[in-house]
Amino acid sequence: MAPSQIGRIAPNGGQTNTPAKRSEGFRDTLNAELSKESSVKLSAHAQKRLEQSNVQLSDTDKARLGRALDQMGEKGADRSLVLMDSLALVVSVKNRTVITAVEGGRAQHGAFTNIDSAIIV
């Protein structure tokens, strides 16, 4: 909607877009964008690794991971190792994406490269 159309009176005498409707639309759009921003994505590689290990991240796990990404972002991290329960996840903080995932026993014998930080959640 163009700024010149805000608050115009429609030919039938009613407003074309009431302030309450504009406010609700803005709120819905803002909430949708914020939830996208706080969500965590899985790369195809990470998804494959989790499937091979028969691991699924619950909504609670994703929320924990999202909070960890928020913390790492505040510290200026780029790529982080996240240790969560029996998982080791390498994540891109900026893109909010899990790059790879290693489950339990396999993580004990692995080396993680190209990371600049780590967090235990």
Side-chain angles (χ1 to χ4, degrees):
M1 174 182 300
S4 61
Q5 294 177 317
I6 295 176
R8 276 198 176 167
I9 304 297
N12 64 1
Q15 284 194 329
T16 57
N17 198 358
T18 65
K21 287 182 183 177
R22 282 194 307 266
S23 176
E24 288 172 14
F26 174 78
R27 187 177 317 125
D28 293 342
T29 301
L30 179 62
N31 286 336
E33 288 302 312
L34 289 174
S35 69
K36 279 185 204 174
E37 193 173 295
S38 63
S39 67
V40 177
K41 298 172 276 206
L42 297 174
S43 70
H45 177 75
Q47 184 66 44
K48 182 178 175 183
R49 288 287 187 104
L50 290 171
E51 287 172 2
Q52 288 172 343
S53 299
N54 291 323
V55 174
Q56 286 189 336
L57 294 178
S58 68
D59 290 340
T60 302
D61 294 333
K62 289 179 183 177
R64 288 172 57 204
L65 185 54
R67 287 190 299 274
L69 287 171
D70 292 340
Q71 284 181 291
M72 300 311 288
E74 290 171 8
K75 302 286 185 186
D78 181 36
R79 286 190 178 210
S80 296
L81 173 65
V82 178
L83 301 175
M84 185 172 73
D85 302 329
S86 65
L87 290 175
L89 307 164
V90 176
V91 299
S92 167
V93 176
K94 177 182 166 188
N95 298 325
R96 301 187 69 79
T97 302
V98 177
I99 298 167
T100 192
V102 181
E103 197 276 324
R106 292 181 32 207
Q108 292 176 346
H109 305 289
F112 297 94
T113 59
N114 296 322
I115 60 169
D116 59 22
S117 54
I119 187 169
I120 301 169
V121 294

